[in-house]
Amino acid sequence: MNGAELSLAGVCKSFGGLTVIDHLGFTVKRGSRTALIGPNGAGKTTVFNLVSGVYPIDDGTISLDGEDISIVSPAGRIGHGISRSFQNIRLMPHLSTIENVMLGEHWRRPAFSLARGRRAVESVKAALADAGLQTYPGQVVANLPYGIQKRIEVVRALLAEPKILMLDEPAAGLNNAESDDLRALLERVSARGITLLVVEHDMHFVRRLCDHVVVLNFGRLIFEGTPEEVHRDPAVLEAYLGTDARAVQSDNTAKAR
Amino acid sequence: MSGYMSGVLAVLLINMVIAYSVFLPAAAGLLNLGAAGFVLIGGYTAGGLTSRAGWPLVPAILVAGLFAGVVAFVLAFPILRTRGVYMVLATFAFAEVVGGIYLNIPSLGGATGLSVSTYAGLPVIIPTTVCVVAFVAWLLSTRLGLAMRAAHDDENVSLLFGVNLRMVQVAAFTAGGALGGIGGALLVHQFNFIDVQTTGVLFSIYVLLYVLIGGTQTAWGPFAGALFFTVVPEILRTMSKLDPSMKFLEAGRFIVFGIAVVLIMVVRPEGLITRTLIEKVQGSLRRLAARETAA
């Protein structure tokens, strides 16, 4: 499985008079593990919604491996290799775990093939086992704990065989052990060559998983670099702390002395 | 089996077929208050074919289902542009239009209704119902069925996972329409009569209630709903005749029945049969089997 390179160039999106994404451009390199971070309201989830086709863009281009996908329908983008999870869990509450996960591979199966054919069930069970979810296949997801549902969302997105996997706050609400399990799963996914784009507030998780960080504020790009560099950037500090970055840095220096 | 019992069974089975006609769209997230429209189309088509053209019963039933399916397919495109309560109103309006059309066709009886001489007894109704249930079970077991149920739960997410929402909903609505036509064909030949007055809005509401009370999450829902709506009033009627202290049920059974419906809606808002209920029952059976094996 090969990853894909995602590029946004001059992307704009407004809702009524409110500009949410303002001439945004950045590239997620093939096979990279990129984090998309920023304060609340920075436009991170909107970027996910634009890339996956939930909203049409007002201006600019979104391209995958150089191919403009801006006008591809939402249902068609999964065929281009874009798959995602959601900030708030969006599993199908009345379906079982295995049925939810099967939805991930729906686009590449014939409409009248049996959903629970032997081969399909085996591949889904293997994917669930890889994520440590082998004990839940037949259970209705609405009755499962939050952390399990979060992981099921990731497995569903993976079953789509994406070139780029977009995860919106995958570690939110998980305890340390669950978060470590999830990171290990995503590292295995990354090792298969799949590009990862992750929105996450947990910087510890980001530092351990990601090799590249893109920071947004008010729908604009304010920084790109490594996880180590991001903590030293004055614009990022100002965006997060809402104060003069130099004062923060001098305060830190004073404390260090 | 007594004539009374076979009559109740026939009505139950026909109600089941018609309930599945509303269940299929409902399983894909579409509320259809136009069941009467498809039942009328199927009933008048099959009744016309047997009484006016001299067709045998079974081909007439098949053609009735096919014709109602074609009408549903054509109707699906404009109706699926609406959502929620507007879709309910659109399907209701469709049934009213169909009723109006048949009222104005004198060759099919007009306002006095259509009488047919061919009778559909249990030897026809039972296998037809079995075929309908098997079709619904098969459809739900396919990828299309999974997509329907996914669309019921979350249309937007289904779309992002490549579900062709329009195709899935048109398919569900079309299949439902066809089943409604088959139900109508059975109905007209069971009672040897069909008219617009008795197959109107109240009929559509009852059928929708079969599905909503039974539950839209599993194929057992319409079965349970049709069973409840067909058998419970009959039980209340029998009780009023057998026990003098229950004499009030003779006139008041529909009050008791109405209260029972309201209570079910309060206690089980997602219907009598839900996935969680089936999961609990299966879990209990597994534990019981394990206990017996251990013993």
Side-chain angles (χ1 to χ4, degrees), chain A residues 7-46:
Chain A
S7 295
L8 281 75
V11 171
C12 299
K13 182 67 190 175
S14 299
F15 295 106
L18 182 68
T19 301
V20 181
I21 300 294
D22 188 6
H23 294 93
L24 181 65
F26 64 86
T27 297
V28 180
K29 288 183 182 154
R30 184 193 310 274
S32 70
R33 306 174 191 176
T34 301
L36 185 61
I37 67 168
N40 286 332
K44 306 178 295 291
T45 296
T46 304

Side-chain angles (χ1 to χ4, degrees), chain A residues 52 54 75 78 84 86 90 92-94 99 102 104-106 109-115 120 139-140 143 156, chain B residues 138-139 141-144 146-147 149-150 152-154 156-163 217 270 275-276 279:
Chain A
S52 59
V54 174
I78 199 161
R84 65 171 290 188
F86 298 85
R90 298 278 294 270
M92 309 308 179
H94 300 119
E99 288 166 337
M102 276 175 171
E105 54 171 12
H106 174 82
R109 304 277 185 204
F112 290 107
S113 63
L114 283 181
Q139 286 180 267
V140 177
N143 303 330
R156 178 177 67 180
Chain B
W138 168 79
L139 190 63
S141 72
T142 63
R143 291 270 161 190
L144 178 62
L146 180 62
R149 288 184 291 148
H152 171 277
D153 279 8
D154 195 326
N156 292 331
V157 172
S158 303
L159 204 61
L160 293 180
F161 279 96
V163 171
Q217 294 174 23
E270 294 197 307
R275 293 292 296 262
T276 303
E279 194 174 278

Side-chain angles (χ1 to χ4, degrees), chain B residues 35-49 55 58-76 94 97-99 101-102 105 108 173-185:
Chain B
F38 296 112
V39 169
L40 283 172
I41 290 171
Y44 274 98
T45 303
L49 287 172
W55 279 42
V58 173
I61 291 171
L62 292 175
V63 169
L66 195 67
F67 182 50
V70 170
V71 172
F73 177 77
V74 173
L75 190 72
F94 155 74
V97 169
V98 171
I101 290 171
Y102 283 115
I105 303 179
L108 290 175
F173 199 79
T174 303
L179 296 189
I182 291 171

